[in-house]
Amino acid sequence: PAAMVDLNALGATPYDVAHLLKRFLAELPEPIFTFEGYRRIMALKTMPGAPANQQEAQSEEYQRKIQVFLESVKSIVYGLPTSHKELCRVVFAYLSVVLEAQSKTIMNATKLAIVFAPVLLRSKEASCGSAGGCGMMDIIQVNKANEIVRLILLNHFDVFC
C-alpha cells in the first residue's frame, strides 16, 4: 500500500510534484496516450465544441455530445497497453485532485490542460528526442489537444471508471 508523503517535511510543494510529474511524462519515450492513441484521439469527429454559455453547457443535447465523445475516448484508452492505461488513470486522478483545490492552486481545468496536454498527447513528429529538440504541433492541434485533455479531466470518472 502507498504511504502518504508529507511534502512540508520535505520542503516541497504541490507545484514541485506537478513539475516532477510533467518532467517525467515529457521524458517518456512514448506518451502515455501512445503515438497511435494520439492519432486516433485527434481524428475523433465526435468532439463537441465549447458551449456558448452556461445554458447550452447544461442542455441535454450538449451533454449527449459530451457522452458520445467520452465513450470514444474511453474506447481508445482501454485499447492502450496496460501500463499506459494505468498511468493515464493515475495522472488524471492526480490532476483531478489539483483541480478540486483550484481555489488554492489557481489551476482550473483549462490551465491544467494547457500545461499537461503537450506531454500527454503528442505525435511522433512533435516528440522530444535525445538526438535533438522537440517538434512543434500547429496551433489547431495544440488547441484540440488542450480541449481533449480538459474534457477528459472534467469527466475522468466517466473515462476511467
Side-chain angles (χ1 to χ4, degrees), residues 29-65:
E30 186 169 31
I32 61 175
F33 276 102
T34 73
F35 297 127
E36 177 61 19
Y38 168 84
R39 188 193 62 70
R40 291 182 60 209
I41 284 176
M42 294 302 279
L44 288 176
K45 303 292 186 212
T46 59
M47 191 171 113
N53 53 46
Q54 189 65 22
Q55 183 179 356
E56 182 183 350
Q58 294 175 344
S59 74
E60 197 172 300
E61 174 66 16
Y62 186 76
Q63 290 303 311
R64 187 190 63 72
K65 288 178 183 178

PDB file of all heavy atoms in Angstrom, residues 29-65:
ATOM      1  N   PRO A  29       9.685   7.809 -23.512  1.00  0.00           N
ATOM      2  CA  PRO A  29       9.968   7.645 -24.946  1.00  0.00           C
ATOM      3  C   PRO A  29       8.700   7.697 -25.801  1.00  0.00           C
ATOM      4  O   PRO A  29       8.745   8.086 -26.965  1.00  0.00           O
ATOM      5  CB  PRO A  29      10.642   6.282 -25.038  1.00  0.00           C
ATOM      6  CG  PRO A  29      10.438   5.618 -23.734  1.00  0.00           C
ATOM      7  CD  PRO A  29      10.087   6.658 -22.730  1.00  0.00           C
ATOM      8  N   GLU A  30       7.593   7.309 -25.221  1.00  0.00           N
ATOM      9  CA  GLU A  30       6.298   7.388 -25.901  1.00  0.00           C
ATOM     10  C   GLU A  30       5.310   7.939 -24.886  1.00  0.00           C
ATOM     11  O   GLU A  30       5.312   7.539 -23.725  1.00  0.00           O
ATOM     12  CB  GLU A  30       5.856   6.007 -26.391  1.00  0.00           C
ATOM     13  CG  GLU A  30       4.599   6.053 -27.220  1.00  0.00           C
ATOM     14  CD  GLU A  30       4.303   4.729 -27.924  1.00  0.00           C
ATOM     15  OE1 GLU A  30       4.645   3.668 -27.385  1.00  0.00           O
ATOM     16  OE2 GLU A  30       3.721   4.788 -29.011  1.00  0.00           O
ATOM     17  N   PRO A  31       4.449   8.885 -25.288  1.00  0.00           N
ATOM     18  CA  PRO A  31       3.497   9.460 -24.326  1.00  0.00           C
ATOM     19  C   PRO A  31       2.530   8.408 -23.805  1.00  0.00           C
ATOM     20  O   PRO A  31       2.350   7.351 -24.426  1.00  0.00           O
ATOM     21  CB  PRO A  31       2.770  10.527 -25.143  1.00  0.00           C
ATOM     22  CG  PRO A  31       2.956  10.129 -26.561  1.00  0.00           C
ATOM     23  CD  PRO A  31       4.265   9.395 -26.638  1.00  0.00           C
ATOM     24  N   ILE A  32       1.896   8.704 -22.677  1.00  0.00           N
ATOM     25  CA  ILE A  32       1.012   7.694 -22.084  1.00  0.00           C
ATOM     26  C   ILE A  32      -0.205   7.399 -22.961  1.00  0.00           C
ATOM     27  O   ILE A  32      -0.759   6.318 -22.877  1.00  0.00           O
ATOM     28  CB  ILE A  32       0.592   8.024 -20.629  1.00  0.00           C
ATOM     29  CG1 ILE A  32      -0.172   9.326 -20.527  1.00  0.00           C
ATOM     30  CG2 ILE A  32       1.794   8.010 -19.729  1.00  0.00           C
ATOM     31  CD1 ILE A  32      -0.693   9.608 -19.134  1.00  0.00           C
ATOM     32  N   PHE A  33      -0.598   8.319 -23.828  1.00  0.00           N
ATOM     33  CA  PHE A  33      -1.670   8.013 -24.776  1.00  0.00           C
ATOM     34  C   PHE A  33      -1.136   7.282 -26.007  1.00  0.00           C
ATOM     35  O   PHE A  33      -1.912   6.902 -26.866  1.00  0.00           O
ATOM     36  CB  PHE A  33      -2.416   9.278 -25.207  1.00  0.00           C
ATOM     37  CG  PHE A  33      -3.499   9.686 -24.254  1.00  0.00           C
ATOM     38  CD1 PHE A  33      -3.292  10.723 -23.357  1.00  0.00           C
ATOM     39  CD2 PHE A  33      -4.712   9.036 -24.229  1.00  0.00           C
ATOM     40  CE1 PHE A  33      -4.287  11.105 -22.472  1.00  0.00           C
ATOM     41  CE2 PHE A  33      -5.716   9.404 -23.354  1.00  0.00           C
ATOM     42  CZ  PHE A  33      -5.497  10.449 -22.464  1.00  0.00           C
ATOM     43  N   THR A  34       0.137   7.082 -26.113  1.00  0.00           N
ATOM     44  CA  THR A  34       0.871   6.456 -27.224  1.00  0.00           C
ATOM     45  C   THR A  34       0.707   7.279 -28.500  1.00  0.00           C
ATOM     46  O   THR A  34      -0.219   8.088 -28.624  1.00  0.00           O
ATOM     47  CB  THR A  34       0.469   4.986 -27.516  1.00  0.00           C
ATOM     48  OG1 THR A  34      -0.818   4.951 -28.129  1.00  0.00           O
ATOM     49  CG2 THR A  34       0.520   4.128 -26.260  1.00  0.00           C
ATOM     50  N   PHE A  35       1.618   7.077 -29.436  1.00  0.00           N
ATOM     51  CA  PHE A  35       1.545   7.800 -30.703  1.00  0.00           C
ATOM     52  C   PHE A  35       0.304   7.393 -31.492  1.00  0.00           C
ATOM     53  O   PHE A  35      -0.361   8.222 -32.104  1.00  0.00           O
ATOM     54  CB  PHE A  35       2.815   7.574 -31.537  1.00  0.00           C
ATOM     55  CG  PHE A  35       4.062   8.093 -30.863  1.00  0.00           C
ATOM     56  CD1 PHE A  35       5.160   7.275 -30.688  1.00  0.00           C
ATOM     57  CD2 PHE A  35       4.131   9.398 -30.389  1.00  0.00           C
ATOM     58  CE1 PHE A  35       6.302   7.755 -30.075  1.00  0.00           C
ATOM     59  CE2 PHE A  35       5.266   9.883 -29.768  1.00  0.00           C
ATOM     60  CZ  PHE A  35       6.365   9.057 -29.610  1.00  0.00           C
ATOM     61  N   GLU A  36      -0.024   6.113 -31.467  1.00  0.00           N
ATOM     62  CA  GLU A  36      -1.233   5.642 -32.153  1.00  0.00           C
ATOM     63  C   GLU A  36      -2.482   6.180 -31.465  1.00  0.00           C
ATOM     64  O   GLU A  36      -3.444   6.578 -32.133  1.00  0.00           O
ATOM     65  CB  GLU A  36      -1.253   4.112 -32.213  1.00  0.00           C
ATOM     66  CG  GLU A  36      -2.505   3.523 -32.832  1.00  0.00           C
ATOM     67  CD  GLU A  36      -2.761   3.934 -34.285  1.00  0.00           C
ATOM     68  OE1 GLU A  36      -1.826   4.389 -34.966  1.00  0.00           O
ATOM     69  OE2 GLU A  36      -3.914   3.809 -34.725  1.00  0.00           O
ATOM     70  N   GLY A  37      -2.479   6.194 -30.143  1.00  0.00           N
ATOM     71  CA  GLY A  37      -3.603   6.761 -29.398  1.00  0.00           C
ATOM     72  C   GLY A  37      -3.796   8.234 -29.720  1.00  0.00           C
ATOM     73  O   GLY A  37      -4.924   8.711 -29.879  1.00  0.00           O
ATOM     74  N   TYR A  38      -2.685   8.958 -29.833  1.00  0.00           N
ATOM     75  CA  TYR A  38      -2.742  10.369 -30.216  1.00  0.00           C
ATOM     76  C   TYR A  38      -3.418  10.511 -31.578  1.00  0.00           C
ATOM     77  O   TYR A  38      -4.316  11.331 -31.752  1.00  0.00           O
ATOM     78  CB  TYR A  38      -1.332  10.970 -30.268  1.00  0.00           C
ATOM     79  CG  TYR A  38      -1.281  12.325 -30.933  1.00  0.00           C
ATOM     80  CD1 TYR A  38      -1.557  13.473 -30.213  1.00  0.00           C
ATOM     81  CD2 TYR A  38      -0.974  12.452 -32.291  1.00  0.00           C
ATOM     82  CE1 TYR A  38      -1.527  14.723 -30.822  1.00  0.00           C
ATOM     83  CE2 TYR A  38      -0.946  13.690 -32.901  1.00  0.00           C
ATOM     84  CZ  TYR A  38      -1.217  14.821 -32.163  1.00  0.00           C
ATOM     85  OH  TYR A  38      -1.195  16.052 -32.774  1.00  0.00           O
ATOM     86  N   ARG A  39      -2.974   9.715 -32.536  1.00  0.00           N
ATOM     87  CA  ARG A  39      -3.537   9.781 -33.877  1.00  0.00           C
ATOM     88  C   ARG A  39      -5.043   9.527 -33.843  1.00  0.00           C
ATOM     89  O   ARG A  39      -5.822  10.248 -34.467  1.00  0.00           O
ATOM     90  CB  ARG A  39      -2.840   8.765 -34.801  1.00  0.00           C
ATOM     91  CG  ARG A  39      -3.232   8.883 -36.267  1.00  0.00           C
ATOM     92  CD  ARG A  39      -2.788   7.692 -37.087  1.00  0.00           C
ATOM     93  NE  ARG A  39      -3.388   6.431 -36.674  1.00  0.00           N
ATOM     94  CZ  ARG A  39      -4.672   6.090 -36.841  1.00  0.00           C
ATOM     95  NH1 ARG A  39      -5.499   6.917 -37.425  1.00  0.00           N
ATOM     96  NH2 ARG A  39      -5.129   4.922 -36.433  1.00  0.00           N
ATOM     97  N   ARG A  40      -5.454   8.515 -33.082  1.00  0.00           N
ATOM     98  CA  ARG A  40      -6.881   8.161 -33.012  1.00  0.00           C
ATOM     99  C   ARG A  40      -7.705   9.234 -32.301  1.00  0.00           C
ATOM    100  O   ARG A  40      -8.809   9.570 -32.747  1.00  0.00           O
ATOM    101  CB  ARG A  40      -7.052   6.808 -32.327  1.00  0.00           C
ATOM    102  CG  ARG A  40      -6.514   5.659 -33.175  1.00  0.00           C
ATOM    103  CD  ARG A  40      -6.712   4.304 -32.529  1.00  0.00           C
ATOM    104  NE  ARG A  40      -8.127   4.048 -32.318  1.00  0.00           N
ATOM    105  CZ  ARG A  40      -8.603   3.288 -31.327  1.00  0.00           C
ATOM    106  NH1 ARG A  40      -7.777   2.696 -30.485  1.00  0.00           N
ATOM    107  NH2 ARG A  40      -9.890   3.096 -31.202  1.00  0.00           N
ATOM    108  N   ILE A  41      -7.174   9.765 -31.194  1.00  0.00           N
ATOM    109  CA  ILE A  41      -7.914  10.798 -30.457  1.00  0.00           C
ATOM    110  C   ILE A  41      -8.044  12.068 -31.288  1.00  0.00           C
ATOM    111  O   ILE A  41      -9.110  12.680 -31.351  1.00  0.00           O
ATOM    112  CB  ILE A  41      -7.248  11.088 -29.092  1.00  0.00           C
ATOM    113  CG1 ILE A  41      -7.561   9.962 -28.111  1.00  0.00           C
ATOM    114  CG2 ILE A  41      -7.704  12.425 -28.519  1.00  0.00           C
ATOM    115  CD1 ILE A  41      -6.899  10.076 -26.763  1.00  0.00           C
ATOM    116  N   MET A  42      -6.964  12.462 -31.932  1.00  0.00           N
ATOM    117  CA  MET A  42      -7.004  13.693 -32.725  1.00  0.00           C
ATOM    118  C   MET A  42      -7.912  13.545 -33.950  1.00  0.00           C
ATOM    119  O   MET A  42      -8.390  14.539 -34.487  1.00  0.00           O
ATOM    120  CB  MET A  42      -5.592  14.106 -33.147  1.00  0.00           C
ATOM    121  CG  MET A  42      -4.704  14.497 -31.974  1.00  0.00           C
ATOM    122  SD  MET A  42      -5.332  15.841 -30.952  1.00  0.00           S
ATOM    123  CE  MET A  42      -4.848  17.238 -31.946  1.00  0.00           C
ATOM    124  N   ALA A  43      -8.156  12.312 -34.381  1.00  0.00           N
ATOM    125  CA  ALA A  43      -9.025  12.072 -35.537  1.00  0.00           C
ATOM    126  C   ALA A  43     -10.504  11.994 -35.158  1.00  0.00           C
ATOM    127  O   ALA A  43     -11.353  11.915 -36.049  1.00  0.00           O
ATOM    128  CB  ALA A  43      -8.593  10.779 -36.245  1.00  0.00           C
ATOM    129  N   LEU A  44     -10.821  12.020 -33.873  1.00  0.00           N
ATOM    130  CA  LEU A  44     -12.221  11.911 -33.454  1.00  0.00           C
ATOM    131  C   LEU A  44     -13.048  13.048 -34.042  1.00  0.00           C
ATOM    132  O   LEU A  44     -12.671  14.210 -33.970  1.00  0.00           O
ATOM    133  CB  LEU A  44     -12.344  11.942 -31.924  1.00  0.00           C
ATOM    134  CG  LEU A  44     -11.873  10.713 -31.176  1.00  0.00           C
ATOM    135  CD1 LEU A  44     -11.972  10.946 -29.675  1.00  0.00           C
ATOM    136  CD2 LEU A  44     -12.679   9.486 -31.576  1.00  0.00           C
ATOM    137  N   LYS A  45     -14.164  12.678 -34.586  1.00  0.00           N
ATOM    138  CA  LYS A  45     -15.083  13.670 -35.156  1.00  0.00           C
ATOM    139  C   LYS A  45     -16.196  14.011 -34.167  1.00  0.00           C
ATOM    140  O   LYS A  45     -17.013  14.876 -34.430  1.00  0.00           O
ATOM    141  CB  LYS A  45     -15.711  13.141 -36.449  1.00  0.00           C
ATOM    142  CG  LYS A  45     -14.712  12.747 -37.511  1.00  0.00           C
ATOM    143  CD  LYS A  45     -13.989  13.935 -38.057  1.00  0.00           C
ATOM    144  CE  LYS A  45     -13.108  13.505 -39.216  1.00  0.00           C
ATOM    145  NZ  LYS A  45     -11.911  14.296 -39.315  1.00  0.00           N
ATOM    146  N   THR A  46     -16.214  13.311 -33.031  1.00  0.00           N
ATOM    147  CA  THR A  46     -17.311  13.474 -32.080  1.00  0.00           C
ATOM    148  C   THR A  46     -17.046  14.536 -31.026  1.00  0.00           C
ATOM    149  O   THR A  46     -17.876  14.755 -30.157  1.00  0.00           O
ATOM    150  CB  THR A  46     -17.600  12.135 -31.359  1.00  0.00           C
ATOM    151  OG1 THR A  46     -16.413  11.726 -30.674  1.00  0.00           O
ATOM    152  CG2 THR A  46     -18.052  11.070 -32.320  1.00  0.00           C
ATOM    153  N   MET A  47     -15.879  15.202 -31.075  1.00  0.00           N
ATOM    154  CA  MET A  47     -15.555  16.175 -30.043  1.00  0.00           C
ATOM    155  C   MET A  47     -16.493  17.374 -30.121  1.00  0.00           C
ATOM    156  O   MET A  47     -16.584  18.029 -31.152  1.00  0.00           O
ATOM    157  CB  MET A  47     -14.109  16.647 -30.185  1.00  0.00           C
ATOM    158  CG  MET A  47     -13.661  17.440 -28.992  1.00  0.00           C
ATOM    159  SD  MET A  47     -11.908  17.758 -29.058  1.00  0.00           S
ATOM    160  CE  MET A  47     -11.929  19.502 -29.288  1.00  0.00           C
ATOM    161  N   PRO A  48     -17.191  17.646 -29.024  1.00  0.00           N
ATOM    162  CA  PRO A  48     -18.096  18.795 -29.036  1.00  0.00           C
ATOM    163  C   PRO A  48     -17.307  20.095 -28.941  1.00  0.00           C
ATOM    164  O   PRO A  48     -16.239  20.138 -28.335  1.00  0.00           O
ATOM    165  CB  PRO A  48     -18.951  18.586 -27.786  1.00  0.00           C
ATOM    166  CG  PRO A  48     -18.081  17.786 -26.873  1.00  0.00           C
ATOM    167  CD  PRO A  48     -17.225  16.925 -27.761  1.00  0.00           C
ATOM    168  N   GLY A  49     -17.821  21.128 -29.535  1.00  0.00           N
ATOM    169  CA  GLY A  49     -17.198  22.441 -29.381  1.00  0.00           C
ATOM    170  C   GLY A  49     -17.503  22.990 -27.999  1.00  0.00           C
ATOM    171  O   GLY A  49     -18.338  22.449 -27.261  1.00  0.00           O
ATOM    172  N   ALA A  50     -16.833  24.042 -27.622  1.00  0.00           N
ATOM    173  CA  ALA A  50     -17.087  24.673 -26.330  1.00  0.00           C
ATOM    174  C   ALA A  50     -18.493  25.264 -26.345  1.00  0.00           C
ATOM    175  O   ALA A  50     -18.928  25.832 -27.362  1.00  0.00           O
ATOM    176  CB  ALA A  50     -16.058  25.753 -26.057  1.00  0.00           C
ATOM    177  N   PRO A  51     -19.231  25.116 -25.249  1.00  0.00           N
ATOM    178  CA  PRO A  51     -20.582  25.678 -25.212  1.00  0.00           C
ATOM    179  C   PRO A  51     -20.537  27.206 -25.239  1.00  0.00           C
ATOM    180  O   PRO A  51     -19.595  27.814 -24.717  1.00  0.00           O
ATOM    181  CB  PRO A  51     -21.146  25.167 -23.883  1.00  0.00           C
ATOM    182  CG  PRO A  51     -19.949  24.901 -23.035  1.00  0.00           C
ATOM    183  CD  PRO A  51     -18.857  24.495 -23.988  1.00  0.00           C
ATOM    184  N   ALA A  52     -21.529  27.814 -25.855  1.00  0.00           N
ATOM    185  CA  ALA A  52     -21.582  29.269 -25.970  1.00  0.00           C
ATOM    186  C   ALA A  52     -21.870  29.934 -24.628  1.00  0.00           C
ATOM    187  O   ALA A  52     -21.434  31.050 -24.374  1.00  0.00           O
ATOM    188  CB  ALA A  52     -22.641  29.672 -26.997  1.00  0.00           C
ATOM    189  N   ASN A  53     -22.617  29.206 -23.777  1.00  0.00           N
ATOM    190  CA  ASN A  53     -22.976  29.768 -22.474  1.00  0.00           C
ATOM    191  C   ASN A  53     -23.339  28.632 -21.515  1.00  0.00           C
ATOM    192  O   ASN A  53     -23.353  27.462 -21.908  1.00  0.00           O
ATOM    193  CB  ASN A  53     -24.147  30.750 -22.631  1.00  0.00           C
ATOM    194  CG  ASN A  53     -25.322  30.119 -23.352  1.00  0.00           C
ATOM    195  OD1 ASN A  53     -25.735  29.000 -23.061  1.00  0.00           O
ATOM    196  ND2 ASN A  53     -25.854  30.834 -24.346  1.00  0.00           N
ATOM    197  N   GLN A  54     -23.630  29.001 -20.285  1.00  0.00           N
ATOM    198  CA  GLN A  54     -23.945  28.003 -19.258  1.00  0.00           C
ATOM    199  C   GLN A  54     -25.212  27.221 -19.602  1.00  0.00           C
ATOM    200  O   GLN A  54     -25.290  26.020 -19.353  1.00  0.00           O
ATOM    201  CB  GLN A  54     -24.095  28.693 -17.892  1.00  0.00           C
ATOM    202  CG  GLN A  54     -24.200  27.747 -16.722  1.00  0.00           C
ATOM    203  CD  GLN A  54     -22.922  26.943 -16.501  1.00  0.00           C
ATOM    204  OE1 GLN A  54     -21.841  27.324 -16.919  1.00  0.00           O
ATOM    205  NE2 GLN A  54     -23.055  25.811 -15.851  1.00  0.00           N
ATOM    206  N   GLN A  55     -26.173  27.879 -20.191  1.00  0.00           N
ATOM    207  CA  GLN A  55     -27.423  27.201 -20.563  1.00  0.00           C
ATOM    208  C   GLN A  55     -27.153  26.102 -21.586  1.00  0.00           C
ATOM    209  O   GLN A  55     -27.656  24.987 -21.464  1.00  0.00           O
ATOM    210  CB  GLN A  55     -28.435  28.205 -21.106  1.00  0.00           C
ATOM    211  CG  GLN A  55     -29.784  27.576 -21.432  1.00  0.00           C
ATOM    212  CD  GLN A  55     -30.773  28.608 -21.939  1.00  0.00           C
ATOM    213  OE1 GLN A  55     -30.497  29.799 -21.977  1.00  0.00           O
ATOM    214  NE2 GLN A  55     -31.947  28.133 -22.339  1.00  0.00           N
ATOM    215  N   GLU A  56     -26.341  26.405 -22.589  1.00  0.00           N
ATOM    216  CA  GLU A  56     -26.005  25.389 -23.587  1.00  0.00           C
ATOM    217  C   GLU A  56     -25.213  24.251 -22.952  1.00  0.00           C
ATOM    218  O   GLU A  56     -25.426  23.083 -23.261  1.00  0.00           O
ATOM    219  CB  GLU A  56     -25.191  25.984 -24.746  1.00  0.00           C
ATOM    220  CG  GLU A  56     -24.880  24.948 -25.817  1.00  0.00           C
ATOM    221  CD  GLU A  56     -24.008  25.466 -26.942  1.00  0.00           C
ATOM    222  OE1 GLU A  56     -23.766  26.677 -27.028  1.00  0.00           O
ATOM    223  OE2 GLU A  56     -23.565  24.637 -27.760  1.00  0.00           O
ATOM    224  N   ALA A  57     -24.285  24.598 -22.049  1.00  0.00           N
ATOM    225  CA  ALA A  57     -23.462  23.582 -21.388  1.00  0.00           C
ATOM    226  C   ALA A  57     -24.323  22.589 -20.613  1.00  0.00           C
ATOM    227  O   ALA A  57     -23.963  21.413 -20.495  1.00  0.00           O
ATOM    228  CB  ALA A  57     -22.452  24.236 -20.451  1.00  0.00           C
ATOM    229  N   GLN A  58     -25.440  23.040 -20.100  1.00  0.00           N
ATOM    230  CA  GLN A  58     -26.312  22.167 -19.316  1.00  0.00           C
ATOM    231  C   GLN A  58     -27.427  21.534 -20.144  1.00  0.00           C
ATOM    232  O   GLN A  58     -28.199  20.725 -19.626  1.00  0.00           O
ATOM    233  CB  GLN A  58     -26.911  22.952 -18.143  1.00  0.00           C
ATOM    234  CG  GLN A  58     -25.847  23.373 -17.154  1.00  0.00           C
ATOM    235  CD  GLN A  58     -26.382  24.256 -16.048  1.00  0.00           C
ATOM    236  OE1 GLN A  58     -27.480  24.800 -16.145  1.00  0.00           O
ATOM    237  NE2 GLN A  58     -25.610  24.401 -14.991  1.00  0.00           N
ATOM    238  N   SER A  59     -27.481  21.864 -21.417  1.00  0.00           N
ATOM    239  CA  SER A  59     -28.544  21.320 -22.257  1.00  0.00           C
ATOM    240  C   SER A  59     -28.366  19.819 -22.460  1.00  0.00           C
ATOM    241  O   SER A  59     -27.250  19.293 -22.440  1.00  0.00           O
ATOM    242  CB  SER A  59     -28.580  22.033 -23.616  1.00  0.00           C
ATOM    243  OG  SER A  59     -27.499  21.613 -24.418  1.00  0.00           O
ATOM    244  N   GLU A  60     -29.468  19.160 -22.677  1.00  0.00           N
ATOM    245  CA  GLU A  60     -29.456  17.718 -22.905  1.00  0.00           C
ATOM    246  C   GLU A  60     -28.652  17.361 -24.162  1.00  0.00           C
ATOM    247  O   GLU A  60     -27.890  16.388 -24.166  1.00  0.00           O
ATOM    248  CB  GLU A  60     -30.906  17.227 -23.036  1.00  0.00           C
ATOM    249  CG  GLU A  60     -31.066  15.756 -22.865  1.00  0.00           C
ATOM    250  CD  GLU A  60     -32.532  15.366 -22.805  1.00  0.00           C
ATOM    251  OE1 GLU A  60     -33.263  15.839 -21.916  1.00  0.00           O
ATOM    252  OE2 GLU A  60     -32.934  14.566 -23.676  1.00  0.00           O
ATOM    253  N   GLU A  61     -28.788  18.168 -25.192  1.00  0.00           N
ATOM    254  CA  GLU A  61     -28.077  17.924 -26.457  1.00  0.00           C
ATOM    255  C   GLU A  61     -26.563  18.007 -26.256  1.00  0.00           C
ATOM    256  O   GLU A  61     -25.815  17.145 -26.724  1.00  0.00           O
ATOM    257  CB  GLU A  61     -28.531  18.929 -27.521  1.00  0.00           C
ATOM    258  CG  GLU A  61     -27.762  18.858 -28.825  1.00  0.00           C
ATOM    259  CD  GLU A  61     -27.978  17.554 -29.596  1.00  0.00           C
ATOM    260  OE1 GLU A  61     -28.931  16.809 -29.306  1.00  0.00           O
ATOM    261  OE2 GLU A  61     -27.159  17.276 -30.490  1.00  0.00           O
ATOM    262  N   TYR A  62     -26.102  19.036 -25.554  1.00  0.00           N
ATOM    263  CA  TYR A  62     -24.664  19.188 -25.332  1.00  0.00           C
ATOM    264  C   TYR A  62     -24.141  18.049 -24.463  1.00  0.00           C
ATOM    265  O   TYR A  62     -23.072  17.497 -24.731  1.00  0.00           O
ATOM    266  CB  TYR A  62     -24.343  20.551 -24.695  1.00  0.00           C
ATOM    267  CG  TYR A  62     -22.862  20.798 -24.598  1.00  0.00           C
ATOM    268  CD1 TYR A  62     -22.121  21.159 -25.720  1.00  0.00           C
ATOM    269  CD2 TYR A  62     -22.191  20.647 -23.392  1.00  0.00           C
ATOM    270  CE1 TYR A  62     -20.749  21.366 -25.650  1.00  0.00           C
ATOM    271  CE2 TYR A  62     -20.824  20.855 -23.309  1.00  0.00           C
ATOM    272  CZ  TYR A  62     -20.113  21.215 -24.439  1.00  0.00           C
ATOM    273  OH  TYR A  62     -18.755  21.407 -24.356  1.00  0.00           O
ATOM    274  N   GLN A  63     -24.877  17.674 -23.435  1.00  0.00           N
ATOM    275  CA  GLN A  63     -24.462  16.578 -22.560  1.00  0.00           C
ATOM    276  C   GLN A  63     -24.392  15.262 -23.327  1.00  0.00           C
ATOM    277  O   GLN A  63     -23.514  14.435 -23.088  1.00  0.00           O
ATOM    278  CB  GLN A  63     -25.401  16.459 -21.353  1.00  0.00           C
ATOM    279  CG  GLN A  63     -25.266  17.608 -20.373  1.00  0.00           C
ATOM    280  CD  GLN A  63     -23.852  17.769 -19.856  1.00  0.00           C
ATOM    281  OE1 GLN A  63     -23.219  16.812 -19.429  1.00  0.00           O
ATOM    282  NE2 GLN A  63     -23.328  18.979 -19.924  1.00  0.00           N
ATOM    283  N   ARG A  64     -25.303  15.069 -24.288  1.00  0.00           N
ATOM    284  CA  ARG A  64     -25.265  13.866 -25.130  1.00  0.00           C
ATOM    285  C   ARG A  64     -23.994  13.862 -25.975  1.00  0.00           C
ATOM    286  O   ARG A  64     -23.320  12.842 -26.106  1.00  0.00           O
ATOM    287  CB  ARG A  64     -26.509  13.796 -26.017  1.00  0.00           C
ATOM    288  CG  ARG A  64     -26.619  12.487 -26.810  1.00  0.00           C
ATOM    289  CD  ARG A  64     -27.714  12.536 -27.859  1.00  0.00           C
ATOM    290  NE  ARG A  64     -27.488  13.537 -28.887  1.00  0.00           N
ATOM    291  CZ  ARG A  64     -26.551  13.457 -29.853  1.00  0.00           C
ATOM    292  NH1 ARG A  64     -25.762  12.422 -29.918  1.00  0.00           N
ATOM    293  NH2 ARG A  64     -26.428  14.407 -30.748  1.00  0.00           N
ATOM    294  N   LYS A  65     -23.632  15.026 -26.541  1.00  0.00           N
ATOM    295  CA  LYS A  65     -22.407  15.128 -27.333  1.00  0.00           C
ATOM    296  C   LYS A  65     -21.175  14.802 -26.484  1.00  0.00           C
ATOM    297  O   LYS A  65     -20.260  14.121 -26.944  1.00  0.00           O
ATOM    298  CB  LYS A  65     -22.268  16.537 -27.933  1.00  0.00           C
ATOM    299  CG  LYS A  65     -23.233  16.825 -29.049  1.00  0.00           C
ATOM    300  CD  LYS A  65     -23.047  18.257 -29.542  1.00  0.00           C
ATOM    301  CE  LYS A  65     -24.053  18.604 -30.622  1.00  0.00           C
ATOM    302  NZ  LYS A  65     -23.902  19.998 -31.063  1.00  0.00           N
TER     303      LYS A  65
END
